[in-house]
Amino acid sequence: MSEIKEYIYDSASKFLKKQSTQALLEKGQMGLFDDELWASVNDMGLTGVNISEAYGGVGGDYEDGFTVIKLVGQYPIPLPLTETLISKWILSQYGIKITHDQPLSFYFNEQNPLEVREHNGNYILNGEALNVPWGRVAKEIVALAKCQNQWIMVLVPVNESKIHEKVNLAGEPRDSLFFHGVNIEDSAIKIIKDCESKKKVEQLYALAKAAMLTGISERVVQECLFYASERKQFGRNLFRFQAVQQHISFLVGETAACLAAVNNAVEMLQGGNDALSIMLTKIKVSAVAGDIAMTAHQLHGAIGMTYEHTLHHLTKRLWSWRDEGGNERYWQGELSTYIEKNSGTIWSLLVDNHSVRSIL
Amino acid sequence: MVKLEVPTVQFTSDQQSFRNEVRAFLREEIQSGHFTPACDSWLSGESPTFSKKLGDKGWIGMTWPRSYGGSEKSAIERYILTEELLVAGAPVAAHWFADRQTGPLLLKYGTENQKKTFLPQITKGECFFAIGLSEPNAGSDLAAIKTRAVRTDGGWLLNGSKIWSSGAHIAHYMVVLCRTSPQNEENRHDGMSQLMVDLHVNGVTIRPITFLTGAHHFNEVFFENVFVPDEHVVGQVGNGWKQGMAELAYERSGPERILSTYPLFSMVIEELKRINDRDGLTEMLSLLPELWSIRNLSIGVAKYLDEGKDVSFIASLVKDRGTTFETKVAETVRLVLSKHPELFNSKSIDELYTQSILHGPGFTLRGGTTEILRGIIAKGVVSQ
Ligand SMILES: Cc1cc2nc3c(=O)[nH]c(=O)nc-3n(C[C@H](O)[C@H](O)[C@H](O)COP(=O)(O)OP(=O)(O)OC[C@H]3O[C@@H](n4cnc5c(N)ncnc54)[C@H](O)[C@@H]3O)c2cc1C
C-alpha cells in the first residue's frame, strides 16, 4: 500500500463508517442529497484522489481511487462520489480543470450519444442523456457526443437540461437529462482521437461498480456472520446448522473471489493493461451479486425483510449496481467481440503480459 | 420404491367454463380500473372491497357445505379459481388466510357453533383472519413459542406477542397458537392450543412493521390479559400443535407457491412477442416446462388433500420447487430485458419487476423456510 493509500484508507474508512448510518441510508432511499456531508467529503480530499495537484486534486493513483470507491460500497453514503471521481479523472486527462466543489457525473453511451452542431462558430448541443447517475445534483456532466462525424467529449452544464427524475431500488438518482439547443463553450469540447478513449468511462464505471459491489458484499458477509452468531433457534446459534454453514461459506467464498478479481483488475488498470480484466471482473461480480443478496436474506429470515433492518439497504444496492456500468450480459457480448478480434489463445490472453488495451 | 406419484388431473368442460367465467370477471375488474395486476398479491394486495365481491360471487370458501355459506364445489374448482386470481395479480390478501386455512381448520376441528358463526361470514368476505404462529424467538423453531393462556372463569387469559402477522391490521380475528400448559422439555409439542382471538378487544395492540419496500403488510401483535371465551378455543385444548401442522399442508402446496411472480412472467412474454425478440422469448420460455411440471404436482396434491390423504412431505416439496421457480422469473427477466432497456420504461413491467425482486426473499422464508422444508422432505421420504 502506498503511503497515501494507507492514509486514505484509514481516514476514509473511519469517516464513512461513522457517516453511513441507518438514518442517512433512509434519507438516501428518499432520494435526498446531503450538502453538508458532500462538503465534508470534499474537505477530506476524497473527491480529489488520483488527480494531480495541478488539477486541484490530492494525488495518488488508480489503486488509491478504487480504494475509496470500494469503501463507498462497504459503507454506502448517498453521494455521487464515484461519479465525481470518474468525471474528474477523464477531464484531467483532457486537460480540463474543475474549479468548483460541486458533484459531477457522466454520460458515455456510444449507441446513443449527444449531438453537437457548429453554427457560425457557436456550438449547440442536443440530445438525451439517459440514466445519468445523480444527474439532478450534478453541476455538469461529462458526455460523449458526435460533432460532424467526429467523436467528442463535452462538458455540459446540467441546469440547461430538462430533468426526468428516476431512482434505482436504493433510491439513488438515475435521471434522464434532455438537452435542447444548449450553447457550449469551445473550451468544454475535446476531440476524441482514438476509439479506445470512447470506452474509457464505460470501463472505469464498470470497474467502479464491481468494486462497490464487492465492498458491499464484504459488508453483507459481516452482517451475516454477526446475525448467525447472535440468533438462536432450537437452542443453538444459527451458524451451528449445516444449512446455514453452507450459506456462510458461499457468501465468503464468492466475496473473496470478487475481491481478488477487483484488486487484480485495479492493479492491471494502473499498469495500463485493463480491457480484459475489467470485463471479466464486472461479469463475475454482477453475476453473483443477486445470489449474494438472496443468500443473505435467507440467512436473516423475516427480520431482514423489514425496513428497520440495515440489510435491505445493502441488498437493494446489490440488486441495482449489478445492472449499472453494464450487466454481465452486456459485458459477455463485449468479451466475445474481444476474444474474436484477438488472435492469441484464450490461455495466453488470460495469463500473458500484454500491451493490448483496446476493447475493440 | 418410495411413492412419489400424485394423481393427474384433467379438467372437464364444466370446469373449463368456470375458468372462463372467472377470467371474464377478472378482465372486467382490471378494465374498469378496480385493480392493477401486482406480483405477490396474496401477501400485499389487500382490498376488502374486492374480497367482498368474491364473497358475493360465492368464491370464498367455495368447497364448504352450503349450510355454512359454501357452494360445495370441488377442490379442483377452488384450485382453478385460485390460480386465475393469482395469474391476474388480483388483490386477494384480505380474505386469503381465512379461505385457505381457517375455514378448513374449523371444518375439521371446530364446534357446530363455531362453524355456524364464522364460516358464513368468511364466505361473504366480511371476516378476515390472520395467522398467529411466529414469535420473536420462535421462527423456524415454532415449538419455542412463549405466548400463553391461563384458565379463568368461562375462558382463557392470553398474554404474549406474535410477530410477522401478515394482514393483522385489517383482520378481524387471529388464530393464535399458544401454550395452555407449561413447556415440557421431553415433548416440546405438548400443551399447545389454538385460540381464535378477536383483534378488536381490550388488551390487543397491533403495531405495524414496515416491509423493506416501505409498505405495511405485517405486524407485531401484543396480548395483555386478553380474555378469550371457551367458545373460541379451536379443537381440543392441548392439541394445538397437531392441528396447526395439518393446516400447513394447505399452506404449502397451493398455487400461491408457484405464481407469485406470474404477472411479470406473462407480461414480459407478451412484450417479447410484440417486438419479435425470438432469443429473449426462448430464454423466458425455458421456464415454462418448470411451471408446468410444478403445477402438475401442486394440483395432484390438491386432489389428495380433497380425498383426505396425508400429504405432508409432498406439500413441502411443492413449496420448495415452486418458490425456486418464482425467484427465477425475475432473474431471467432481468437479463432478457437488459437488451431492451426501453421496455423497463414501461411502467408496469418496471413495477412488476421491482415487486418480484424486493418481495423475492420472502418466498423462501414464509410458511417454513427452505432449509426447514428440505429437512421435512428428506425425513418424510426416508421414513416412508
Ligand atoms: C413476508 C412474510 C410473511 C410472513 N407472514 C407470517 C404470518 O402471517 N404469520 C406468522 O406466524 N409468521 C409469518 N411469517 C414468519 C415466517 O413464518 C418465519 O419467517 C419463518 O418461519 C422463519 O422464521 P425466522 O424468520 O424467525 O427465521 P429463523 O428461524 O431465525 O431462521 C433464520 C435462518 O436460519 C435457518 N435455520 C433455522 N433453523 C434451522 C435449522 N434447524 N436447520 C437449518 N437451518 C435453520 C433458516 O432456514 C433461515 O435461513 C412471515 C414471514 C415473511 C417473510
Side-chain angles (χ1 to χ4, degrees):
Chain A
M1 229 191 264
S2 70
E3 219 171 284
I4 171 161
K5 192 163 164 190
E6 216 164 315
Y7 166 75
I8 289 172
Y9 182 81
D10 282 349
S11 57
S13 66
K14 269 192 209 116
F15 175 79
L16 293 173
K17 190 172 177 178
K18 191 167 150 223
Q19 297 299 331
S20 179
T21 58
Q22 190 75 3
L24 183 76
L25 292 172
E26 283 173 15
K27 265 175 95 177
Q29 178 82 63
M30 305 294 152
L32 299 176
F33 174 74
D34 189 328
D35 298 277
E36 271 178 46
L37 189 58
W38 180 253
S40 323
V41 165
N42 260 311
D43 291 346
M44 287 187 68
L46 294 183
T47 54
V49 183
N50 187 27
I51 295 153
S52 67
E53 284 173 30
Y55 283 91
V58 299
D61 57 15
Y62 274 124
E63 286 181 44
D64 301 320
F66 278 94
T67 300
V68 171
I69 289 176
K70 189 153 70 93
L71 279 171
V72 178
Q74 272 173 8
Y75 306 109
I77 48 166
L79 294 177
L81 182 53
T82 299
E83 290 75 9
T84 302
L85 277 174
I86 292 179
S87 306
K88 285 192 180 171
W89 293 345
I90 294 298
L91 289 167
S92 64
Q93 281 170 18
Y94 283 93
I96 297 181
K97 181 174 172 177
I98 295 291
T99 49
H100 59 76
D101 281 342
Q102 302 295 304
L104 299 170
S105 191
F106 48 77
Y107 176 71
F108 263 61
N109 183 335
E110 256 187 281
Q111 268 71 56
N112 186 26
L114 300 180
E115 249 187 58
V116 171
R117 265 182 302 114
E118 200 204 324
H119 188 67
N120 297 336
N122 293 327
Y123 291 97
I124 313 288
L125 175 96
N126 283 295
E128 46 190 52
L130 305 173
N131 270 315
V132 178
W134 295 95
R136 74 190 73 158
V137 300
K139 185 170 165 68
E140 286 141 331
I141 63 167
V142 186
L144 182 69
K146 265 200 144 165
C147 181
Q148 272 113 33
N149 282 329
Q150 200 158 44
W151 288 102
I152 58 169
M153 187 219 76
V154 53
L155 185 62
V156 191
V158 170
N159 64 4
E160 300 276 354
S161 68
K162 213 178 99 215
I163 302 182
H164 176 66
E165 296 194 350
K166 254 188 99 173
V167 294
N168 68 13
L169 293 177
E172 297 173 317
R174 300 295 179 253
D175 303 324
S176 294
L177 312 180
F178 300 91
F179 297 97
H180 189 69
V182 178
N183 266 304
I184 303 284
E185 311 265 318
D186 303 14
S187 60
I189 293 180
K190 301 284 171 186
I191 291 170
I192 296 181
K193 297 205 186 65
D194 49 335
C195 294
E196 175 187 316
S197 306
K198 265 189 333 220
K199 302 270 188 185
K200 195 74 195 177
V201 170
E202 186 180 50
Q203 285 176 306
L204 289 174
Y205 192 39
L207 186 54
K209 280 292 151 178
M212 290 166 80
L213 282 162
T214 303
I216 214 155
S217 300
E218 289 182 88
R219 177 69 183 285
V220 164
V221 166
Q222 188 190 317
E223 294 286 332
C224 287
L225 292 179
F226 173 78
Y227 194 69
S229 347
E230 194 80 343
R231 168 85 170 162
K232 275 197 173 123
Q233 285 290 274
F234 303 97
R236 299 159 89 190
N237 295 106
L238 291 185
F239 76 86
R240 299 262 177 222
F241 297 115
Q242 209 174 75
V244 174
Q245 291 167 355
Q246 303 218 3
H247 290 324
I248 292 174
S249 68
F250 169 81
L251 291 168
V252 170
E254 288 298 351
T255 304
C258 291
L259 260 173
V262 168
N263 291 343
N264 277 287
V266 170
E267 221 170 275
M268 290 170 92
L269 170 68
Q270 187 59 43
N273 177 15
D274 45 23
L276 180 61
S277 58
I278 289 178
M279 289 188 266
L280 296 177
T281 301
K282 186 61 164 71
I283 294 169
K284 165 68 205 164
V285 177
S286 280
V288 81
D291 286 338
I292 289 180
M294 284 304 257
T295 306
H297 273 296
Q298 190 66 25
L299 187 145
H300 274 81
I303 193 101
M305 303 282 297
T306 63
Y307 198 78
E308 281 105 305
H309 200 278
T310 316
L311 186 63
H312 72 98
H313 289 298
L314 309 177
T315 52
K316 282 173 180 169
R317 286 173 167 79
L318 285 167
W319 284 316
S320 303
W321 292 349
R322 60 181 174 164
D323 292 327
E324 295 170 4
N327 68 11
E328 64 269 36
R329 184 63 54 94
Y330 170 78
W331 284 108
Q332 275 155 1
E334 297 291 295
L335 176 63
S336 301
T337 311
Y338 179 92
I339 297 294
E340 271 169 6
K341 300 228 159 135
N342 275 286
S343 53
T345 63
I346 293 276
W347 186 242
S348 150
L349 288 172
L350 201 60
V351 304
D352 294 348
N353 278 332
H354 289 281
S355 50
V356 233
R357 298 180 56 185
S358 168
I359 272 201
L360 296 181
Chain B
M1 205 71 88
V2 291
K3 188 157 179 351
L4 297 175
E5 264 166 354
V6 296
T8 52
V9 174
Q10 306 306 324
F11 299 98
T12 64
S13 60
D14 279 353
Q15 287 167 342
Q16 183 61 48
S17 351
F18 174 61
R19 189 185 288 283
N20 294 343
E21 183 191 339
V22 176
R23 246 178 232 167
F25 164 75
L26 290 169
R27 203 178 307 122
E28 172 64 30
E29 285 291 298
I30 295 175
Q31 276 164 6
S32 36
H34 294 155
F35 76 86
T36 312
C39 287
D40 203 15
S41 63
W42 65 274
L43 176 86
S44 48
E46 291 141 352
S47 165
T49 322
F50 186 77
S51 293
K52 181 88 189 76
K53 275 188 201 164
L54 292 186
D56 291 345
K57 291 193 113 21
W59 290 352
I60 300 178
M62 63 189 290
T63 61
W64 308 346
R66 280 181 206 284
S67 48
Y68 304 131
S71 335
E72 300 185 5
K73 292 281 180 352
S74 73
I76 298 303
E77 257 113 355
R78 176 172 184 278
Y79 196 95
I80 292 172
L81 171 72
T82 317
E83 56 178 6
E84 291 298 328
L85 287 167
L86 295 170
V87 158
V92 290
H95 68 276
W96 193 260
F97 298 121
D99 176 67
R100 178 180 76 181
Q101 265 164 277
T102 317
L105 179 76
L106 290 180
L107 282 169
K108 196 157 172 199
Y109 297 105
T111 61
E112 190 52 31
N113 201 5
Q114 286 171 342
K115 293 185 212 171
K116 284 236 145 69
T117 317
F118 289 103
L119 297 181
Q121 288 186 60
I122 293 178
T123 58
K124 283 186 201 141
E126 290 171 356
C127 181
F128 308 140
F129 275 75
I131 304 292
L133 295 173
S134 309
E135 294 180 11
N137 290 314
S140 296
D141 184 11
L142 189 56
I145 56 164
K146 289 272 183 314
T147 298
R148 63 193 191 101
V150 293
R151 203 62 212 138
T152 184
D153 239 10
W156 299 82
L157 269 190
L158 184 68
N159 278 285
S161 71
K162 292 290 167 184
I163 197 167
W164 318 126
S165 323
S166 306
H169 54 300
I170 56 160
H172 303 88
Y173 282 85
M174 173 188 268
V175 176
V176 174
L177 183 70
C178 63
R179 301 210 152 273
T180 35
S181 41
Q183 191 170 334
N184 163 11
E185 272 309 318
E186 302 282 281
N187 188 346
R188 303 176 73 221
H189 303 152
D190 271 1
M192 294 188 205
S193 305
Q194 287 180 303
L195 308 182
M196 284 188 287
V197 181
D198 183 338
L199 291 173
H200 298 100
V201 298
N202 276 344
V204 177
T205 311
I206 301 179
R207 189 180 73 88
I209 303 177
T210 311
F211 201 55
L212 79 174
T213 55
H216 177 195
H217 305 308
F218 47 40
N219 305 272
E220 192 160 13
V221 181
F222 301 90
F223 309 105
E224 203 181 334
N225 290 324
V226 175
F227 176 73
V228 184
D230 279 329
E231 305 90 85
H232 286 179
V233 174
V234 183
Q236 244 175 300
V237 171
N239 196 33
W241 180 266
K242 214 177 130 230
Q243 294 171 192
M245 289 302 113
E247 257 181 79
L248 290 181
Y250 291 94
E251 170 171 347
R252 287 183 176 155
S253 59
E256 71 269 36
R257 302 304 183 178
I258 308 173
L259 296 172
S260 301
T261 54
Y262 186 86
L264 174 67
F265 183 63
S266 87
M267 179 166 285
V268 169
I269 287 180
E270 290 310 316
E271 276 303 308
L272 293 168
K273 274 162 59 184
R274 195 178 60 77
I275 61 174
N276 290 319
D277 179 351
R278 171 102 194 198
D279 291 345
L281 194 57
T282 307
E283 196 168 340
M284 280 314 293
L285 291 177
S286 70
L287 295 177
L288 198 57
E290 289 196 45
L291 170 60
W292 189 63
S293 59
I294 301 161
R295 175 173 175 265
N296 289 340
L297 270 183
S298 164
I299 304 180
V301 175
K303 194 160 181 202
Y304 263 166
L305 279 172
D306 203 32
E307 294 163 1
K309 291 220 169 74
D310 172 25
V311 296
S312 68
F313 89 85
I314 299 192
S316 299
L317 190 146
V318 171
K319 179 171 184 280
D320 180 24
R321 298 290 85 216
T323 52
T324 307
F325 167 79
E326 291 181 331
T327 1
K328 265 195 210 163
V329 167
E331 289 300 314
T332 310
V333 164
R334 165 185 171 248
L335 289 179
V336 166
L337 289 192
S338 66
K339 272 203 310 193
H340 312 283
E342 76 280 6
L343 288 188
F344 264 130
N345 291 339
S346 131
K347 209 162 176 298
S348 36
I349 288 190
D350 199 12
E351 267 172 21
L352 294 175
Y353 172 77
T354 302
Q355 285 164 354
S356 301
I357 289 284
L358 294 182
H359 287 233
F363 303 163
T364 49
L365 292 172
R366 59 187 180 198
T369 69
T370 298
E371 291 74 11
I372 297 297
L373 291 182
R374 289 185 179 164
I376 293 172
I377 296 165
K379 280 184 207 140
V381 77
V382 167
S383 73
Q384 202 191 56

